Amino acid sequence: MRLTTKGRFAVTAMIDLALRENSGPVALAAISQRQQISLSYLEQLFGKLRRHELVESTRGPGGGYSLGRKSDAITVADIIVAVDEPIDATGCGGKENCMGEEAGRCITHELWTSLNAKMIEYLDSVSLRKLVDDQLAKGITIEEAPIKRAISSTPVVKPIRITAPNSVFALGNSALTK
């Protein structure tokens, strides 16, 4: 059994988000840059995480994502299930047809099914808070959140409004209304 990139990237992004949960919403572009994960892929993953209420989104300037519940109430299993990552070591995907439709399941089916149960049990015992604490214990540094300015330092250029007719028809209409 192998956990694909979907599950690994989702857990990595959630750890990144949880590390910065006290700084307000975190932009996916920032997570993308720090973790070297495609922004479009993160958008797909976070859409699924949001539907499972593991994250909340904030729109507008200064917006981004924040945890949907406390980090100690989110498990690795929650994250993996939310992004539709199968946790299955059987060759048949749990359908009990490892040897084909006629022959049924393989002789090691129970072994792999037991392994599945142990993996889910373990992943359900590891909280996002524990993973964050592990990173902090290793000495990871969290950069200061950039200062968000409500007023831009560059002036807003207003478009020039042209009042001249832009066609022969508009010219004719303007002559008739005078």
Side-chain angles (χ1 to χ4, degrees):
M1 202 246 25
R2 197 184 120 152
L3 193 62
T4 63
T5 54
K6 190 180 349 179
R8 289 190 322 233
F9 283 168
V11 172
T12 300
M14 288 292 283
I15 293 170
D16 188 292
L17 178 63
L19 282 165
R20 293 158 179 83
E21 69 181 327
N22 295 327
S23 302
V26 179
L28 286 185
I31 296 173
S32 171
Q33 186 176 25
R34 282 189 298 268
Q35 303 305 327
Q36 301 296 299
I37 302 171
S38 158
L39 179 59
S40 61
Y41 196 59
L42 278 176
E43 288 169 347
Q44 292 173 24
L45 293 176
F46 271 72
K48 292 177 179 186
L49 293 167
R50 187 175 46 76
R51 283 189 288 282
H52 281 82
E53 299 178 348
L54 297 180
V55 297
E56 296 174 342
S57 62
T58 304
R59 298 181 129 177
Y65 284 89
S66 51
L67 295 178
R69 51 187 190 229
K70 294 191 178 295
S71 59
D72 58 358
I74 298 173
T75 67
V76 174
D78 293 333
I79 297 166
I80 291 172
V81 167
V83 296
D84 301 325
E85 181 69 47
I87 303 172
D88 189 6
T90 64
C92 62
K95 296 177 185 170
E96 298 188 5
N97 61 355
C98 314
M99 303 295 290
E101 291 299 325
E102 299 297 318
R105 62 186 187 182
C106 65
I107 59 175
T108 57
H109 187 84
E110 288 82 17
L111 170 69
W112 305 126
T113 302
S114 296
L115 177 60
N116 289 345
K118 293 292 183 189
M119 286 189 298
I120 292 168
E121 180 183 324
Y122 173 71
L123 295 175
D124 203 35
S125 73
V126 179
S127 73
L128 185 57
R129 175 83 258 154
K130 183 199 178 311
L131 296 175
V132 167
D133 290 344
D134 290 349
Q135 291 301 309
L136 294 171
K138 290 178 184 176
I140 190 170
T141 55
I142 312 299
E143 68 283 348
E144 289 286 326
I147 298 170
K148 296 174 184 166
R149 302 186 191 280
I151 301 174
S152 173
S153 59
T154 57
V156 176
V157 179
K158 293 185 179 181
I160 299 171
R161 186 165 183 93
I162 300 173
T163 57
N166 64 353
S167 70
V168 175
F169 300 109
L171 181 62
N173 282 338
S174 67
L176 291 175
T177 58
K178 288 186 181 181

